[in-house]
C-alpha cells in the first residue's frame, strides 16, 4: 500500500524549512561572534591566559648627611589561604571537616609560636608627659601580629569562594620572622596555605623627621591613570607627602615585569616574553644632620609651652650653601603609623589635632615676621642712603604721625609706639646698630615711612617692598619639599585689590617692623638671615644634597644654588650684622642670654602681634604675639643660620631665644666632637668625588 | 512482510554520521588533553562509536515492524529502569540519572526513554491518523508520553524531559495534529510556566536567570562567558588543533561534553565549525527524507520523532555554546563525549535505516 498522506508530507516540509532556518541562524551567530565580534573575544582570550607579574623594585633609602638611615624598607609577613587550593571533597561535610582541621593547624602553629616569642610583660610605661602628648602625636606602635580564629577563616574563605576562589585570603598579619619561618616549614602539608611578603616602609627617626621624610600610601584614585602610565602596579604604594612625594620618581625605581601564560587556576604555564629585571630606586642623601634635628626637636618641645602654643617651628641652614641642616615643625606625628595603612579614624585623629600636625609649619605656615624683618628695613635704609651707619634718629617711646589731610591738627594724628613704651621707657637718640640691638620700633618706623614733622624722608612702601622681595619674602624659596607657602609682601596695589583701601604711611610704618600684612614662613626668615650672614647671597634651600644608586654610586650632586646676589653693599650688611651682634652680646641687647662662651652669635628677636578671633586681645588690650628669634654663628665665617618660631609664644627674647641658644650650643658641642674625631661625613665624601 | 533491501540503506547518511562521530573523537582528544583523569576518554568514545555502528547495523537488519511488537514490554522495562534510577542512581551534576549495573557499564535510562517514547507514541498514533482530530486520541497520546516524561523530570533531568516533550510534539505534528490543539498546547504551556518555574531546581533556575541577565551570578556565568570567548576568538581558521587557549588552559569547563562546540570553533575556526554544522544539517536533512519517503505511518512518525530529537539537541547545544540559549547540559549529537547518548543515537539511526530499507 502506498499511502503517502499529503498532510504529513507537507508537515515534513514545514520541518525541513524550520531545519534550514535553525542552521542559518546558528551559522549567522557563528559568523557574528567570529568575524564581527572576533577582535574583542580574541583580546579577552589573551587577557584570560596572560598575567603580568610585576616584581617590585626596592625603594630608595633616605640617609642624613652622615649616612644615618631616615627611611628604609623592611618586610611584614602575612599568611594567606588560596580557597581554590584548599582540601576539597564532593561531600560538603567532609570538605568542611578537612578544611577546618587545616585552619586549626594554621592557627595553632602561629599562636604557639607567637606565645613562645612573647616577652615577659614589660613594666607599665610611665604616664606620658602631658606636655609632650599635646605637641607630639605619637600614635606609633610596633605592628601587632594578629591571626584569625578558625571560624573567621572559615567565614572569609566561604565568602571569597563566592567571588574569585583564586585570590588569597589574608588570615594572619604582621608576623615576626620567626613565626613566618615556622609556618613556612609546615606549608608542605598545608595545601593552599602561603606566606606573603609585604614590603613595608620604615622610618627609624619617626617623629623627628616626619615633616621632612613624609609618608606613603596607596595610589590616589584620581592619579591612577598617571601612575599606570609610568608602569606602576595598581597595588603599588607611592609617596604622599614631603620627600617621599617630591622624589617619588627618584625613589621608586622600575618594577620588573614578567608576562606569564596561565591556566584557569592561575598556574604558570610558560613565560611569554623575556622578563625585565626590577631596577631599584635611587637613594637620597640629605644635607640634614639627624643629630642636630633631634637637638632642635627636643629643644623646641622643651621650650614651648603647649598650653599657649599649638605649634612651633625651627629651621637651621648652612648660610654658605643653603643646605638645610635641620627643620622641625610641631606638633609632629610619627610617620610610621602610615606604613601599615592607616584607618580613616586614625587619620582623622592626626589631621584634626590642634596645630595641624601634618602641616610643616616651617615652610607652610605664614606669620607676621615681626622685628626679624628689621634686617630688611635696615639693609634697605642703608643701601638707599635714607640713613648711614652714623645717622642718629630720635626715638621717643611714642610718635604721632600727622593726619595726611589735616597735618596741623594734633588731635587727628595717629600715635605709633615702641615696644618699650609699655614699660614707660624710650630709646632716645640712637643709630641703626643700636636700633637693631634694642629692636627699636620708632627708628624703623622713621626709616621705613619717614617722619614729616622732622622733614625726614623714609624708604617708602615701594622701595621697602622691593627689598623685602629681594630677600626672598613673598616668593617661594624653591625648597625641594612640597607645600611651600610664598607668604605676602603687601604694597599699595595689593591693598587696593585685597582690601579696597588706600595705602597710608601708617601701613609703611607697620611693614617696616614686620607687622601689618607682611607674612613669612620661618624658612623665609632663615634664608634672609643666611643672606645677611653670607654677605648677600640668597640661596635656594635644599634638603637633598646627593642622589646615589643602589650600589651607592653617586648619581647626582646638588650643588648650592644662588637665587640672587643682593644689590646691597657689603659694608651695609656688615652694619646689620653688627646690630645683630650687639643684640646678643651687648648688655642692652634684646637677647643677651643667647651669648655662648666660645662662639660669637649674632641674632635678632621678634615679637609679632597677630590677630586670632579666638584669642582676641588680653585684658590690657594687647594682641597676642608670636615669638621669633633668628640668628647666625659664628659671627666671623658663619656656618649656621637658625630661626625659632613659637606660635603665640609671647616675647621672642623670652621664649624663642633660649630655644635657639640651646640648639646653637649643642650644635657647636657636636661640631667640636666631630672635629676631634676627624671623620668626614658621607656628604663630604660624596662632594669630593662629585664632578 | 516487506522485503529488506540493503540498496535502500542510506549510505550517505551513514557516511556523514561516521564522519561526525570520528570528528567528535578527535575533538574530545584535544579537549581532554593534559587532564590525567580524562585521559582515556577519546579511546572510550572510539569504542562507543564502534559499538554504536555495529548496533546500528543490527537494528537496521531487524524489521522495525517486528521491533514494534516489543514496544509494550520495552516501555515497561524503561519505566522500571527510570524508577530504579530514582531509587539508587548516582548523582552527577545534580541529577540522578545514571544506573550502574554490577559496576560494568553505567546506563542512563533517560537516553533509552527517547527511543521507547518514539516507538510507543508512533505505534499508538500510526493506526489512528484518520481520527487525529479526536480529542480522545490526542489525550491518550499524551497519557503515553507523560509517565515517562515525569519520571525523567523528577530525576531531575530537566533537559532530557524537555527533549522528550519536543520529541512527542514532533510526532504529533507529523501525525497531523490539528492546529487548534497546537494552539491549545501553546496556551497551556504559557499558563503553566510559573508553576514549572517553581518546580525547577535551584541550579536550573540559575541557568535560566543567567541567560536572561548574565550579571546576576558572575561565577555561574563564567562557563557561558568562556564558551563565548572560545568561539569568538577562533576567527576564520581557528587557533589550530590542540592550540585553543580557552580549552587547553581549562578556562572552558566540561569542554568534552557540553562545550565541545566551543572547542571546535576555537581551534578550527569558522571553517571547522561551519563544516561540522553542515554535516549535522546533512544528517538531519537525510533523516527528514527517510521520514518523508516512508510508505507507512509508523515508520514515518518514528523517524520524525527521532529526527526532531537530533535537531532540537543540536539547536540547544550549539545555541548554548554561542550564548543564544540557556545552559542545559545536553550532549551535541554524535560529537559530545558519552556512551549512552552515542548508543541510543545509533539505535535511532538503525531504526531510521530499517525504515528506509523496507519501502516497497
Amino acid at each position: 500500500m502506498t499511502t503517502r498522506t499529503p498532510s504529513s508530507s507537507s508537515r515534513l516540509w514545514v520541518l525541513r524549512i524550520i531545519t534550514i532556518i535553525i542552521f542559518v541562524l546558528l551559522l549567522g551567530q557563528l559568523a557574528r561572534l567570529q568575524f564581527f565580534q572576533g577582535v574583542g573575544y580574541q583580546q579577552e582570550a589573551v587577557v584570560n591566559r596572560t598575567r603580568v607579574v610585576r616584581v617590585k623594585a626596592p625603594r630608595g633609602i633616605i640617609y642624613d648627611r652622615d649616612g644615618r638611615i631616615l627611611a628604609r624598607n623592611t618586610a611584614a609577613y602575612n599568611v594567606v589561604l588560596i580557597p581554590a587550593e584548599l582540601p576539597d571533597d564532593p561531600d560538603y561535610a567532609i570538605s568542611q571537616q578537612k578544611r577546618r582541621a587545616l585552619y586549626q593547624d594554621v592557627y595553632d602553629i602561629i599562636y604557639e609560636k607567637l606565645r613562645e616569642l612573647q616577652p615577659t610583660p614589660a613594666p607599665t610605661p610611665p604616664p606620658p608627659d602631658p606636655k609632650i602628648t599635646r605637641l607630639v602625636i605619637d600614635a606609633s606602635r610596633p605592628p601587632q601580629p594578629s591571626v584569625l580564629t578558625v571560624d573567621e577563616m572559615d567565614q572569609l574563605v566561604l565568602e571569597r569562594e563566592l567571588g574569585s576562589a583564586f585570590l588569597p585570603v589574608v588570615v594572619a598579619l604582621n608576623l615576626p620572622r620567626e613565626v613566618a619561618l615556622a609556618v613556612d616549614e609546615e606549608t608542605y602539608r598545608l595545601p593552599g596555605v602561603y606566606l606573603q611578603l609585604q614590603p613595608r616602609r620604615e622610618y627609624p627617626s619617626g617623629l623627628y623627621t616626619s615633616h621632612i621624610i613624609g609618608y606613603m600610601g596607596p595610589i590616589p584614585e584620581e592619579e591612577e591613570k598617571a601612575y599606570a602610565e609610568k608602569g606602576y602596579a595598581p597595588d603599588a604604594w607611592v609617596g604622599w607627602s614631603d620627600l617621599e612625594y617630591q622624589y617619588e620618581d627618584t625613589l621608586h625605581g622600575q618594577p620588573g615585569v614578567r608576562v606569564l601564560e596561565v591556566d584557569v587556576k592561575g598556574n604558570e604555564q610558560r613565560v611569554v616574553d623575556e622578563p625585565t629585571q626590577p631596577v631599584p630606586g635611587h637613594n637620597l642623601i640629605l644635607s640634614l644632620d639627624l643629630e642636630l634635628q633631634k637637638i632642635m626637636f627636643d629643644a623646641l618641645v622643651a621650650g614651648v609651652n603647649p598650653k599657649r602654643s599649638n605649634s612651633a617651628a625651627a629651621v637651621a641652614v648652612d648660610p654658605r650653601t643653603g643646605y638645610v641642616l635641620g627643620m622641625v615643625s610641631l606638633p609632629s606625628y610619627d610617620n610610621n603609623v602610615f606604613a601599615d595603612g592607616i584607618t580613616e579614624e586614625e587619620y582623622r585623629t592626626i589631621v584634626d589635632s590642634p596645630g595641624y600636625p601634618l602641616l610643616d609649619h616651617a615652610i607652610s605656615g605664614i606669620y607676621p615676621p615681626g622685628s626679624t624683618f628689621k634686617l630688611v628695613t635696615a639693609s634697605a635704609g642703608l643701601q638707599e642712603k635714607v640713613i648711614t651707619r652714623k645717622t642718629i634718629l630720635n626715638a621717643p617711646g611714642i610718635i604721632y604721625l600727622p593726619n595726611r589731610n589735616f597735618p596741623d591738627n594734633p588731635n587727628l594724628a595717629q600715635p605709633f609706639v615702641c615696644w618699650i613704651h609699655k614699660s614707660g621707657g624710650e630709646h632716645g637718640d640712637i643709630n641703626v646698630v643700636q636700633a637693631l640691638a634694642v629692636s627699636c620700633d620708632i627708628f624703623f618706623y622713621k626709616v621705613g615711612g619717614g617722619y614729616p614733622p622732622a622733614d625726614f624722608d623714609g624708604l617708602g612702601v615701594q622701595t621697602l617692598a622691593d627689598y623685602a622681595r629681594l630677600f626672598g619674602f613673598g616668593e617661594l624659596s624653591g625648597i625641594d619639599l612640597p607645600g611651600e607657602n610664598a607668604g605676602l609682601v603687601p604694597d599699595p596695589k595689593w591693598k587696593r585689590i585685597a582690601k579696597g583701601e588706600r595705602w597710608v604711611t601708617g601701613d609703611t610704618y607697620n611693614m617696616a617692623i614686620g607687622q601689618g600684612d607682611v607674612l613669612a614662613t620661618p624658612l623665609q626668615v632663615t634664608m634672609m638671615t643666611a643672606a645677611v650672614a653670607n654677605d648677600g647671597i640668597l640661596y635656594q634651600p635644599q634638603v637633598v644634597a646627593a642622589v646615589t644608586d643602589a650600589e651607592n654610586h653617586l648619581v647626582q650632586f646638588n650643588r648650592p644654588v644662588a637665587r640672587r646676589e643682593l644689590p646691597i653693599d657689603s659694608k651695609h650688611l656688615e652694619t646689620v650684622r653688627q646690630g645683630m651682634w650687639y643684640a646678643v652680646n651687648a648688655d642692652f641687647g634684646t637677647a643677651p642670654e643667647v651669648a655662648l662662651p666660645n662662639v660669637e652669635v649674632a641674632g635678632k628677636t621678634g615679637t609679632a602681634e597677630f590677630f586670632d578671633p579666638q584669642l582676641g586681645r588680653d585684658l590690657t588690650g594687647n594682641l597676642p604675639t608670636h615669638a621669633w628669634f633668628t640668628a647666625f654663628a659664628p659671627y666671623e665665617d658663619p656656618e649656621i643660620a637658625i630661626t625659632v618660631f613659637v606660635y603665640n609664644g609671647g616675647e621672642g627674647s623670652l621664649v624663642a631665644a633660649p630655644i635657639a641658644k640651646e640648639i646653637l650650643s649643642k650644635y657647636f658641642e657636636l661640631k667640636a666632637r666631630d672635629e676631634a674625631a676627624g671623620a668626614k661625613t658621607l656628604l663630604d665624601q660624596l662632594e669630593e668625588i662629585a664632578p | 512482510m516487506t522485503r529488506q533491501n540493503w540498496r535502500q540503506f542510506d549510505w550517505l547518511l551513514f557516511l556523514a554520521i561516521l564522519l561526525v562521530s570520528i570528528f567528535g573523537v578527535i575533538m574530545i582528544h584535544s579537549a581532554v588533553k593534559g587532564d590525567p583523569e580524562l585521559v582515556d576518554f577519546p579511546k572510550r568514545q572510539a569504542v562507543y562509536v564502534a559499538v554504536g555502528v555495529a548496533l546500528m547495523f543490527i537494528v537496521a537488519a531487524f524489521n522495525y515492524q517486528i521491533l514494534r511488537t516489543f514496544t509494550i514490554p520495552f516501555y515497561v522495562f524503561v519505566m522500571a529502569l527510570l524508577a530504579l534510577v530514582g531509587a539508587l542512581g548516582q548523582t552527577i551534576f545534580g541529577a540522578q540519572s545514571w544506573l550502574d549495573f554490577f559496576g560494568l557499564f553505567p546506563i542512563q535510562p533517560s537516553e533509552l526513554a527517547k527511543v521507547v517514547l518514539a516507538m510507543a507514541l508512533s505505534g499508538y498514533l500510526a493506526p489512528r491518523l484518520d481520527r487525529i482530530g479526536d480529542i480522545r486520541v490526542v489525550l491518550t497520546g499524551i497519557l503515553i508520553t507523560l509517565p515517562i516524561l515525569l519520571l525523567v523530570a523528577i530525576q531531575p533531568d530537566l533537559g532530557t524531559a524537555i527533549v522528550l516533550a519536543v520529541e512527542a510534539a514532533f510526532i504529533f505534528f507529523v501525525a497531523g495534529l490539528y492546529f487548534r490543539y497546537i494552539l491549545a498546547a501553546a496556551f497551556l504551556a504559557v499558563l503553566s510556566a510559573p508553576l514549572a518555574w517553581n518546580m525547577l531546581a535551584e541550579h536550573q533556575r540559575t541557568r535560566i536567570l543567567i541567560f536572561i541577565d548574565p550579571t546576576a551570578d558572575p561565577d555561574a556565568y563564567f562557563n557561558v562567558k568562556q564558551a563565548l570567548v572560545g568561539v569568538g576568538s577562533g576567527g576564520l581558521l581557528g587557533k589550530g588543533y590542540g592550540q585553543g587557549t580557552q580549552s587547553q588552559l581549562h578556562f572552558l569547563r566540561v569542554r568534552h561534553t557540553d562545550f565541545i562546540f566551543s572547542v571546535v570553533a576555537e581551534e578550527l575556526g569558522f571553517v571547522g565549525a561551519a563544516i561540522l554544522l553542515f554535516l549535522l544539517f546533512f544528517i538531519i536533512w537525510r533523516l527528514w527524507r527517510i521520514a518523508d519517503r516512508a510508505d507507512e505511518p509508523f515508520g514515518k512518525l518514528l523517524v520524525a520523532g527521532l529526527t526532531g530529537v537530533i535537531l532540537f539537541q543540536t539547536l540547544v547545544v550549539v545555541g548554548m555554546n554561542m550564548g543564544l540559549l540557556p545552559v542545559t547540559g545536553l550532549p551535541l549529537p554524535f560529537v559530545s563525549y558519552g556512551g549512552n547518548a552515542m548508543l541510543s543515537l545509533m539505535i535511532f539511526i538503525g531504526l531510521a535505516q530499517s525504515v528506509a530499507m523496507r519501502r516497497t
Side-chain angles (χ1 to χ4, degrees):
Chain A
M1 57 178 198
T2 50
T3 50
R4 285 184 69 169
T5 50
S7 112
S8 71
S9 187
S10 67
R11 290 210 164 180
L12 279 168
W13 273 107
V14 170
L15 293 179
R16 284 186 212 195
I17 289 163
I18 290 174
T19 306
I20 291 173
I21 291 171
I22 286 175
F23 275 89
V24 167
L25 203 81
L26 293 177
L27 207 64
Q29 171 74 350
L30 185 67
R32 194 169 81 97
L33 290 178
Q34 295 194 314
F35 299 140
F36 299 105
Q37 302 175 356
V39 176
Y41 284 118
Q42 276 159 20
Q43 281 169 355
E44 278 193 60
V46 171
V47 170
N48 254 350
R49 71 184 165 90
T50 51
R51 293 277 179 286
V52 177
V53 178
R54 286 189 175 80
V55 184
K56 283 193 177 115
R59 194 173 175 85
I61 298 165
I62 305 179
Y63 299 98
D64 86 339
R65 63 162 52 220
D66 272 321
R68 300 182 192 94
I69 291 171
L70 307 177
R72 68 180 164 206
N73 308 308
T74 59
Y77 293 90
N78 298 341
V79 172
V80 298
L81 302 179
I82 309 253
E85 297 177 21
L86 291 172
D88 207 357
D89 195 281
D91 188 328
Y92 179 76
I94 296 175
S95 176
Q96 273 305 97
Q97 199 183 336
K98 283 185 183 170
R99 287 183 175 197
R100 291 186 71 94
L102 179 129
Y103 303 153
Q104 190 66 52
D105 269 1
V106 172
Y107 181 84
D108 289 346
I109 295 166
I110 296 171
Y111 185 81
E112 285 303 314
K113 195 75 194 173
L114 275 177
R115 221 177 47 172
E116 236 172 74
L117 290 171
Q118 190 74 39
T120 44
T124 8
D129 184 346
K131 183 175 180 175
I132 292 179
T133 49
R134 271 280 315 262
L135 283 171
V136 178
I137 311 297
D138 188 0
S140 85
R141 66 277 187 254
Q144 289 301 310
S146 61
V147 57
L148 298 182
T149 65
V150 171
D151 285 336
E152 287 167 332
M153 288 187 207
D154 194 28
Q155 183 67 27
L156 277 180
V157 168
L158 289 175
E159 278 169 17
R160 176 56 53 83
E161 279 189 317
L162 297 175
S164 174
F166 302 104
L167 290 179
V169 175
V170 180
V171 295
L173 264 176
N174 293 323
L175 299 182
R177 211 178 123 75
E178 295 85 344
V179 180
L181 289 176
V183 174
D184 200 34
E185 278 171 19
E186 302 288 340
T187 45
Y188 73 92
R189 62 177 186 86
L190 303 170
V193 178
Y194 292 93
L195 209 57
Q196 194 186 53
L197 197 76
Q198 190 79 34
R200 198 174 161 268
R201 196 74 161 159
E202 191 180 69
Y203 307 110
S205 50
L207 47 82
Y208 289 108
T209 50
S210 51
H211 289 112
I212 307 266
I213 306 299
Y215 52 89
M216 300 177 67
I219 295 173
E221 214 171 301
E222 62 273 17
E223 287 169 59
E224 264 168 18
K225 220 178 137 202
Y227 277 113
E229 276 167 13
K230 287 195 215 166
Y232 281 63
D235 65 340
W237 276 35
V238 297
W240 270 24
S241 76
D242 304 300
L243 290 180
E244 291 276 33
Y245 172 83
Q246 186 87 13
Y247 285 88
E248 173 63 33
D249 291 346
T250 311
L251 290 165
H252 181 254
Q254 273 302 320
V257 173
R258 284 194 308 158
V259 178
L260 306 176
E261 186 172 279
V262 295
D263 67 9
V264 67
K265 293 188 175 180
N267 295 326
E268 184 174 335
Q269 301 290 308
R270 64 191 180 93
V271 178
V272 178
D273 294 322
E274 193 63 27
T276 57
Q277 291 301 318
V279 182
H282 287 165
N283 305 323
L284 305 181
I285 288 91
L286 310 190
S287 55
L288 198 85
D289 182 339
L290 181 60
E291 282 185 298
L292 177 65
Q293 177 81 5
K294 288 184 173 175
I295 287 165
M296 290 166 69
F297 186 92
D298 293 340
L300 207 56
V301 169
V304 172
N305 178 358
K307 289 203 180 71
R308 249 186 107 139
S309 309
N310 65 24
S311 53
V315 184
V317 302
D318 186 333
R320 298 166 298 186
T321 56
Y323 286 147
V324 175
L325 300 174
M327 192 162 79
V328 174
S329 173
L330 293 185
S332 187
Y333 65 97
D334 188 335
N335 44 355
N336 284 303
V337 302
F338 291 90
D340 300 305
I342 186 165
T343 65
E344 178 74 23
E345 199 183 336
E346 288 170 315
Y347 185 72
R348 288 255 73 92
T349 311
I350 294 180
V351 170
D352 295 340
S353 295
Y356 307 106
L358 292 186
L359 200 69
D360 185 350
H361 295 273
I363 63 169
S364 306
I366 48 172
Y367 316 97
S371 299
T372 60
F373 190 79
K374 287 171 183 164
L375 303 185
V376 174
T377 313
S379 304
L382 289 164
Q383 182 67 27
E384 294 297 318
K385 300 192 169 57
V386 171
I387 49 168
T388 68
R389 196 190 180 293
K390 291 176 177 150
T391 306
I392 305 276
L393 294 178
N394 179 254
I398 185 163
I399 56 171
Y400 293 90
L401 185 62
N403 187 290
R404 208 183 163 87
N405 301 317
F406 308 96
D408 300 327
N409 184 345
N411 291 330
L412 290 177
Q414 193 184 356
F416 282 86
V417 298
C418 185
W419 60 270
I420 205 162
H421 182 65
K422 279 178 209 157
S423 50
E426 61 162 57
H427 288 120
D429 290 345
I430 53 171
N431 65 18
V432 65
V433 172
Q434 292 163 323
L436 282 169
V438 300
S439 198
C440 176
D441 289 338
I442 305 292
F443 186 92
F444 289 103
Y445 290 148
K446 290 182 171 175
V447 172
Y451 189 52
D455 280 337
F456 179 78
D457 287 333
L459 286 159
V461 59
Q462 286 303 353
T463 312
L464 186 56
D466 287 348
Y467 274 89
R469 292 192 187 101
L470 279 175
F471 273 98
F473 290 99
E475 68 175 22
L476 297 177
S477 71
I479 189 170
D480 45 350
L481 285 174
E484 197 190 358
N485 198 321
L488 177 67
V489 175
D491 58 21
K493 190 180 165 196
W494 170 84
K495 193 178 179 189
R496 213 168 39 246
I497 293 167
K499 295 189 169 178
E501 288 172 15
R502 204 163 47 88
W503 188 274
V504 295
T505 306
D507 293 326
T508 314
Y509 273 22
N510 283 330
M511 184 171 162
I513 63 161
Q515 291 285 169
D517 296 308
V518 196
L519 292 171
T521 66
L523 177 67
Q524 284 174 329
V525 172
T526 315
M527 297 321 289
M528 164 192 74
T529 305
V532 170
N534 67 25
D535 224 21
I537 299 172
L538 186 72
Y539 281 106
Q540 175 183 317
Q542 296 189 92
V543 178
V544 174
V547 176
T548 63
D549 67 13
E551 279 85 43
N552 291 321
H553 298 307
L554 185 67
V555 175
Q556 186 190 330
F557 194 89
N558 295 335
R559 295 278 173 199
V561 179
R563 288 152 74 193
R564 65 180 70 93
E565 224 165 300
L566 302 181
I568 299 169
D569 291 353
S570 183
K571 60 177 184 193
H572 297 322
L573 289 172
E574 198 190 338
T575 305
V576 175
R577 288 198 293 274
Q578 280 173 8
M580 294 173 75
W581 187 90
Y582 278 106
V584 172
N585 297 290
D587 297 340
F588 56 85
T590 50
E593 63 276 17
V594 180
L596 294 178
N598 306 320
V599 185
E600 283 189 302
V601 178
K604 181 75 200 78
T605 54
T607 304
E609 290 183 340
F610 68 103
F611 181 73
D612 180 323
Q614 286 186 351
L615 295 172
R617 289 172 184 267
D618 70 9
L619 294 173
T620 48
N622 291 314
L623 285 167
T625 56
H626 298 314
W628 285 94
F629 186 71
T630 187
F632 65 88
Y635 183 70
E636 305 290 342
D637 300 323
E639 58 179 64
I640 181 169
I642 181 174
T643 299
V644 173
F645 165 81
V646 182
Y647 187 92
N648 192 25
E651 291 289 326
S653 58
L654 296 179
V655 176
I659 295 170
K661 182 203 177 174
E662 169 77 5
I663 294 168
L664 287 172
S665 80
K666 290 264 177 67
Y667 169 83
F668 285 106
E669 274 172 33
L670 277 183
K671 191 190 162 201
R673 185 203 67 187
D674 288 348
E675 274 173 357
K680 277 183 185 162
T681 66
L682 174 63
L683 198 57
D684 292 338
Q685 292 167 28
L686 289 172
E687 189 172 7
E688 276 168 24
I689 60 167
Chain B
M1 186 177 151
T2 41
R3 208 170 53 85
Q4 115 177 31
N5 183 352
W6 284 99
R7 268 187 302 177
Q8 301 271 20
F9 185 89
D10 192 336
W11 291 100
L12 277 179
L13 172 65
F14 172 68
L15 191 70
I17 284 166
L18 204 61
L19 275 177
V20 172
S21 301
I22 292 170
F23 181 76
V25 174
I26 293 169
M27 288 323 294
I28 289 166
H29 176 78
S30 170
V32 303
K33 210 171 67 175
D35 193 330
E37 285 174 27
L38 309 178
V39 70
D40 56 345
F41 273 33
K43 244 184 267 174
R44 283 204 217 169
Q45 180 78 353
V47 171
Y48 298 148
V49 172
V51 172
V53 167
L55 199 58
M56 182 203 76
F57 278 110
I58 291 169
V59 173
F62 276 97
N63 187 339
Y64 67 98
Q65 294 289 6
I66 296 175
L67 292 176
R68 182 183 179 181
T69 57
F70 293 102
T71 301
I72 292 173
F74 189 26
Y75 187 91
V76 172
F77 172 67
V78 171
M79 288 288 285
L81 281 186
L82 283 170
L84 211 58
V85 163
L88 38 95
Q90 303 173 14
T91 304
I92 290 193
F93 295 132
Q96 295 180 326
S97 43
W98 297 76
L99 204 54
D100 196 345
F101 285 105
F102 320 111
L104 286 176
F105 181 72
I107 289 186
Q108 216 176 350
S110 54
E111 290 294 339
L112 283 179
K114 293 174 192 169
V115 180
V116 81
L117 175 64
M119 289 178 69
L121 190 57
S122 304
Y124 172 75
L125 289 178
R128 295 171 182 85
L129 288 186
D130 48 343
R131 291 200 285 127
I132 194 74
D134 188 337
I135 183 75
R136 281 171 299 180
V137 172
V138 175
L139 285 179
T140 311
I142 290 171
L143 274 179
I144 291 169
T145 310
L146 270 185
I148 210 157
L149 191 147
L150 287 177
L151 269 180
V152 170
I154 60 169
Q155 287 188 354
D157 184 353
L158 185 75
T160 305
I162 292 174
V163 169
L164 290 173
V166 168
E167 185 181 37
F170 269 86
I171 293 171
F172 270 118
F173 183 74
V174 175
L177 186 68
Y178 287 8
F179 275 104
R180 59 170 178 270
Y181 291 119
I182 295 175
L183 286 175
F187 186 65
L188 272 175
V190 171
L191 273 190
S192 60
L195 186 72
W197 177 259
N198 284 326
M199 285 167 64
L200 290 179
E202 192 58 43
H203 73 275
Q204 293 165 337
R205 284 187 213 165
T206 313
R207 284 169 173 179
I208 295 172
L209 283 177
I210 292 162
F211 176 67
I212 295 166
D213 175 15
T215 56
D217 182 348
D219 261 21
Y221 178 60
F222 184 84
N223 293 340
V224 181
K225 177 75 191 169
Q226 296 307 331
L228 268 175
V229 171
V231 174
S233 62
L236 181 66
L237 295 173
K239 297 173 187 170
Y241 178 74
Q243 305 292 314
T245 56
Q246 287 293 103
S247 53
Q248 302 303 327
L249 298 173
H250 303 182
F251 288 97
L252 208 53
R253 290 183 206 161
V254 284
R255 53 198 171 278
H256 56 296
T257 55
D258 297 18
F259 292 109
I260 190 85
F261 183 78
S262 180
V263 178
V264 175
E266 184 188 19
E267 300 194 344
L268 305 181
F270 181 79
V271 170
I275 288 174
L276 174 61
L277 282 180
F278 174 75
L279 284 173
L280 288 168
F281 172 77
F282 181 77
I283 289 168
I284 293 165
W285 193 260
R286 293 300 286 191
L287 287 168
W288 288 137
R289 184 170 168 272
I290 291 174
D292 199 16
R293 294 173 56 159
D295 52 9
E296 60 79 36
F298 174 66
K300 188 185 291 287
L301 295 183
L302 181 67
V303 175
L306 299 178
T307 310
V309 169
I310 296 175
L311 174 63
F312 181 69
Q313 284 193 196
T314 303
L315 166 70
V316 167
V317 176
V318 175
M320 166 186 98
N321 272 265
M322 299 194 298
L324 287 176
L325 292 166
V327 177
T328 49
L330 290 172
L332 182 60
F334 306 109
V335 184
S336 287
Y337 173 82
N340 277 283
M342 179 57 75
L343 295 186
S344 66
L345 276 170
M346 287 302 193
I347 294 174
F348 277 23
I349 302 302
L351 286 169
Q353 295 282 21
S354 179
V355 171
M357 284 157 63
R358 282 163 191 83
R359 295 191 301 119
T360 45

